[in-house]
Amino acid sequence: MFIARPKPKANEHILSYLIRLSGLNGYKNPIQVLRCSGVLIANNRLPTTSLLLGKTDLRPLATLCTLSPREFQKMTVQSSQDGTLRFNSLEFPAQSVGLNRPKFCPQCFIELGYQPVHHLFLATTHCTKHSTVLLDCLPDTNTRLTWATPYLARKLEWIAKSEYTPSNPDPQEQEVSNAIHQLITNEPSTLGIEGLPEVTLFDFLLLLHFFVKFHHRMIANSALRLKTNSNKDLIPIFSIAFNYLKDWPHGYYSLLQHFESSPMSRRGKEGIRHCFRDLYDDLYTGSFYISNAYSFLRYWFENYLKDKYSSSSFSSSISRTTLQIHKSAQYLSKKTSMQLLQCSSSRINVYVRQELLKEHFLTRGLHAVFLREEILELKENLAHYLSLSEAASALQISNYQARQVFSADVIQHIIKPDDLNRDWLIDAEEINNWISHLQQLACKRFPKGYKKATFKQLQLRGESITMTIKKMLQREHLFTFTPEKSQPLNLYQFTIGVDSFFQPEGYLSPYQAAHQLGVSINAIYDFLQRGFLKYECHNTGRTARPIKLIPTSSLSVFTTTYALKHQIPRHLMNKYRLISGPKINSGIINLYSPKAICP
């Protein structure tokens, strides 16, 4: 448990909390905090993305901080498949966040006690409250700041209290940060973009990153690794992108005119894709093509094509209807389907053979295409489909045992190995329904005379896991259910009961024979060994090997032919002769027979 256990502040993200926690407790950095609290990390690097998105298990840390996992969850960022991130009431694209080079305002860190979440945005280069450039390196040594910088909170406090005075920023360079602050705080916006009067934070960041990307493509003809740039390098980059919005739509048109004169593609000689290939694809098939920002960009792009595009091929072979069809294409190529499903071409072929996907041929001789809605439906289903190893892990059994279970159709499968496919695919919902069905068949407790047995113990007796499960489903095995919340699909939640007294009719176990004769079980085995009692070996299922059982007829012959000392009255002892015992043949106990029948 930590000495200082601070409560999370409103709108504080998890990385800022870890820095504050390490500073208050004298730890070197958040890595040391995580290791000391028992949180597993893969290497010597802080998993910033995993922490921010809530993918790291912080329950040991939450326990030491006397916080609930829900309070930790509130400090993380929620992500969706379309690349949208959400933190409390803020919604922003994933590409707008930069974690490689954290930026801080020392004054804000001291006054607020944490780093505001909008300082994670690449476009936020200034602190609007103190009108200073955000620091991403130490001013005295120019050492780059990271989330694992030793004693970062102490250094920020020292910078805030020292005589260090940051340079006054250019008001024009601070415009982007001011606009972001206005959108976050719902202050009256001064953007004034024609055709987009009410812009949201999400759309504004998308527009900025769109122009950052394609302006750099215009001047360098290459991609820009934005997240590796220092904060000082980001200031002019986003200022230029903001100028495109201020000079709307003339700045946008100038960008398009450049690509018309210097086409993006080297193939062909004219046409829309020849000139605007990557920009065109980003607008109509990119990750955020359904957003308001991209709809706005498409509208003005199509206006440019209509009014200013000079390529002759547009007017003759491409119409605005074609652009609309491209944006909402009903059919997808195999390559696009592979990208959406994040799988290989051979995997697509497997889905087609298993009838999870259907090929469509729009024109004879063309390659097969797929319906967009079928691809999206399959993608949604694949999210809860499991491979063989994943299903085995969920059931807590080996891959070999899982293969036995699925091969016997005890649990329904989606895909089964065949001559052309070697993979399994199992629906997690089917496993869950199967576990629920077994739970309904379970009894509350075992009857008297039953003992517990594991799947492994039954396997040692010659009963495979498939046979055991089938007997459970047919109620030939009694079993109980003990739920495990952490592993709801664990097969070992079920405990099998075995009848410990089960044996064929007309036979007694050595223990039962000893109880009837009033002797120890060792004496019974001695009688069996010397031939006074007869036995037969039977496989009762109680153990892996057959056990010795005594016929009741043999016990009846024994009681009429022989006598034990405690069965003979004292005045009749002279009529019996000792035939077995410690003094005669090292027997366990004395055994007598009447003298009249002795040979």
Side-chain angles (χ1 to χ4, degrees):
M1 188 175 292
F2 298 106
I3 297 176
R5 300 184 294 277
K7 292 289 184 181
K9 296 181 180 292
N11 297 323
E12 181 180 19
H13 58 85
I14 186 65
L15 297 175
S16 174
Y17 179 81
L18 290 176
I19 291 175
R20 189 158 61 92
L21 180 65
S22 61
L24 291 175
N25 288 277
Y27 285 94
K28 186 177 181 180
N29 51 34
I31 295 179
Q32 197 176 37
V33 170
L34 295 178
R35 283 180 173 165
C36 291
S37 59
V39 177
L40 298 178
I41 53 178
N43 47 41
N44 289 331
R45 296 181 179 180
L46 188 69
T48 52
T49 304
S50 177
L51 287 168
L52 190 66
L53 298 181
K55 296 180 180 179
T56 302
D57 186 6
L58 295 178
R59 286 178 293 180
L61 180 61
T63 302
L64 294 177
C65 293
T66 63
L67 297 176
S68 65
R70 184 179 181 86
E71 290 178 291
F72 265 75
Q73 189 67 25
K74 287 183 179 180
M75 293 187 286
T76 59
V77 174
Q78 306 301 316
S79 62
S80 57
Q81 293 182 352
D82 60 356
T84 302
L85 302 181
R86 293 175 179 83
F87 182 78
N88 293 342
S89 60
L90 295 182
E91 187 173 298
F92 44 91
Q95 62 185 12
S96 65
V97 176
L99 299 178
N100 292 354
R101 301 191 65 145
K103 301 172 290 186
F104 297 91
C105 172
Q107 294 292 343
C108 285
F109 195 84
I110 297 303
E111 295 173 7
L112 301 176
Y114 64 94
Q115 182 201 39
V117 70
H118 65 274
H119 285 185
L120 295 176
F121 298 156
L122 293 167
T124 304
T125 56
H126 295 73
C127 173
T128 56
K129 182 178 181 180
H130 300 99
S131 298
T132 58
V133 179
L134 296 179
L135 292 179
D136 63 350
C137 60
L138 296 176
D140 53 347
T141 61
N142 206 30
T143 304
R144 172 184 168 185
L145 292 177
T146 66
W147 298 105
T149 296
Y151 307 107
L152 179 57
R154 191 181 304 174
K155 291 178 180 179
L156 292 175
E157 183 178 357
W158 174 82
I159 294 172
K161 295 180 180 179
S162 67
E163 297 179 357
Y164 165 73
T165 55
S167 58
N168 293 325
D170 187 341
Q172 292 185 348
E173 295 178 346
Q174 198 175 337
E175 286 180 331
V176 178
S177 300
N178 289 336
I180 292 175
H181 179 73
Q182 290 171 356
L183 293 172
I184 291 177
T185 57
N186 296 323
E187 296 179 9
S189 176
T190 58
L191 297 178
I193 303 175
E194 182 181 350
L196 195 64
E198 295 183 0
V199 62
T200 63
L201 173 66
F202 186 88
D203 293 329
F204 180 65
L205 292 174
L206 279 181
L207 291 172
L208 283 178
H209 282 268
F210 176 86
F211 287 111
V212 165
K213 176 181 178 179
F214 289 104
H215 176 79
H216 188 269
R217 179 68 182 271
M218 179 180 69
I219 62 175
N221 196 27
S222 62
L224 174 64
R225 299 184 64 184
L226 196 62
K227 296 184 179 182
T228 60
N229 284 270
S230 66
N231 192 47
K232 290 184 178 179
D233 295 332
L234 293 176
I235 292 174
I237 291 175
F238 283 101
S239 295
I240 294 172
F242 189 64
N243 288 335
Y244 279 99
L245 299 177
K246 291 196 299 182
D247 189 25
W248 193 265
H250 306 294
Y252 187 27
Y253 282 180
S254 64
L255 180 70
L256 297 176
Q257 287 170 357
H258 169 81
F259 290 125
E260 186 178 348
S261 59
S262 302
M264 289 185 173
S265 176
R266 296 181 180 180
R267 294 184 178 182
K269 296 182 179 180
E270 57 184 16
I272 293 180
R273 290 194 58 80
H274 174 67
C275 297
F276 312 110
R277 183 191 60 191
D278 296 347
L279 185 145
Y280 180 78
D281 290 342
D282 195 23
L283 287 178
Y284 288 92
T285 60
S287 303
F288 300 101
Y289 77 93
I290 60 173
S291 64
N292 292 333
Y294 272 62
S295 299
F296 175 70
L297 290 170
R298 279 195 303 272
Y299 172 78
W300 287 100
F301 177 68
E302 293 177 0
N303 281 347
Y304 175 83
L305 295 179
K306 178 182 176 182
D307 301 332
K308 299 181 179 296
Y309 186 55
S310 60
S311 176
S312 59
S313 64
F314 172 71
S315 58
S316 60
S317 61
I318 298 180
S319 65
R320 294 186 63 187
T321 305
T322 306
L323 295 175
Q324 188 68 20
I325 292 175
H326 182 77
K327 179 181 70 172
S328 56
Q330 184 180 5
Y331 294 95
L332 301 176
S333 66
K334 187 175 185 179
K335 184 176 181 180
T336 306
S337 302
M338 289 162 51
Q339 294 172 347
L340 282 174
L341 297 177
Q342 297 179 352
C343 65
S344 61
S345 175
S346 60
R347 195 66 173 173
I348 293 287
N349 296 336
V350 171
Y351 295 150
V352 172
R353 286 197 300 270
Q354 299 293 332
E355 298 182 354
L356 297 178
L357 274 180
K358 183 179 180 181
E359 292 181 321
H360 300 270
F361 297 90
L362 303 181
T363 306
R364 181 178 297 179
L366 292 181
H367 295 292
V369 293
F370 303 93
L371 275 173
R372 177 190 291 270
E373 59 182 15
E374 292 180 357
I375 292 292
L376 296 179
E377 181 182 357
L378 178 59
K379 183 177 181 179
E380 183 179 351
N381 291 337
L382 288 175
H384 52 82
Y385 286 172
L386 304 176
S387 64
L388 178 70
S389 58
E390 290 171 338
S393 177
L395 292 169
Q396 292 295 299
I397 58 179
S398 66
N399 287 359
Y400 174 74
Q401 290 176 319
R403 194 177 294 109
Q404 284 183 311
V405 171
F406 298 132
S407 298
D409 292 332
V410 175
I411 302 177
Q412 295 299 320
H413 50 266
I414 304 298
I415 294 179
K416 185 177 181 179
D418 52 28
D419 295 339
L420 300 175
N421 171 50
R422 62 179 183 179
D423 297 328
W424 288 87
L425 202 62
I426 301 98
D427 192 347
E429 190 65 27
E430 286 290 335
I431 300 179
N432 189 44
N433 293 338
W434 178 73
I435 292 291
S436 300
H437 178 61
L438 281 179
Q439 182 180 351
Q440 294 175 356
L441 298 178
C443 60
K444 293 184 179 180
R445 57 181 177 271
F446 293 126
K448 185 178 180 181
Y450 276 72
K451 65 177 183 179
K452 297 178 181 179
T454 63
F455 287 94
K456 188 173 183 180
Q457 288 173 332
L458 293 176
Q459 187 178 2
L460 291 175
R461 299 175 186 178
E463 188 175 296
S464 67
I465 188 170
T466 304
M467 190 184 303
T468 301
I469 292 174
K470 287 183 177 180
K471 287 184 177 181
M472 291 169 65
L473 293 171
Q474 296 169 3
R475 298 190 177 184
E476 295 181 17
H477 272 325
L478 293 180
F479 56 93
T480 59
F481 176 75
T482 306
E484 291 187 18
K485 294 183 179 180
S486 59
Q487 296 177 335
L489 303 182
N490 187 355
L491 191 57
Y492 286 90
Q493 297 176 112
F494 300 97
T495 304
I496 315 297
V498 178
D499 187 357
S500 58
F501 296 111
F502 172 76
Q503 56 206 28
E505 188 176 354
Y507 293 88
L508 297 174
S509 67
Y511 176 83
Q512 292 171 321
H515 180 72
Q516 285 195 16
L517 295 178
V519 296
S520 68
I521 193 170
N522 291 333
I524 296 296
Y525 281 112
D526 183 59
F527 295 156
L528 292 173
Q529 184 178 3
R530 300 180 186 280
F532 298 119
L533 281 173
K534 306 297 182 180
Y535 69 88
E536 296 177 12
C537 291
H538 289 268
N539 194 341
T540 63
R542 191 185 312 166
T543 60
R545 295 175 297 177
I547 63 173
K548 295 178 180 180
L549 294 179
I550 303 170
T552 53
S553 58
S554 175
L555 189 65
S556 299
V557 172
F558 179 86
T559 55
T560 57
T561 306
Y562 307 104
L564 300 171
K565 185 175 182 179
H566 67 273
Q567 296 174 340
I568 304 173
R570 182 174 297 179
H571 65 280
L572 298 178
M573 281 295 295
N574 58 349
K575 295 184 179 181
Y576 286 85
R577 184 178 181 179
L578 181 65
I579 61 173
S580 178
K583 296 181 179 180
I584 297 179
N585 53 8
S586 301
I588 299 295
I589 61 174
N590 291 332
L591 182 66
Y592 299 86
S593 66
K595 290 182 179 180
I597 63 173
C598 287

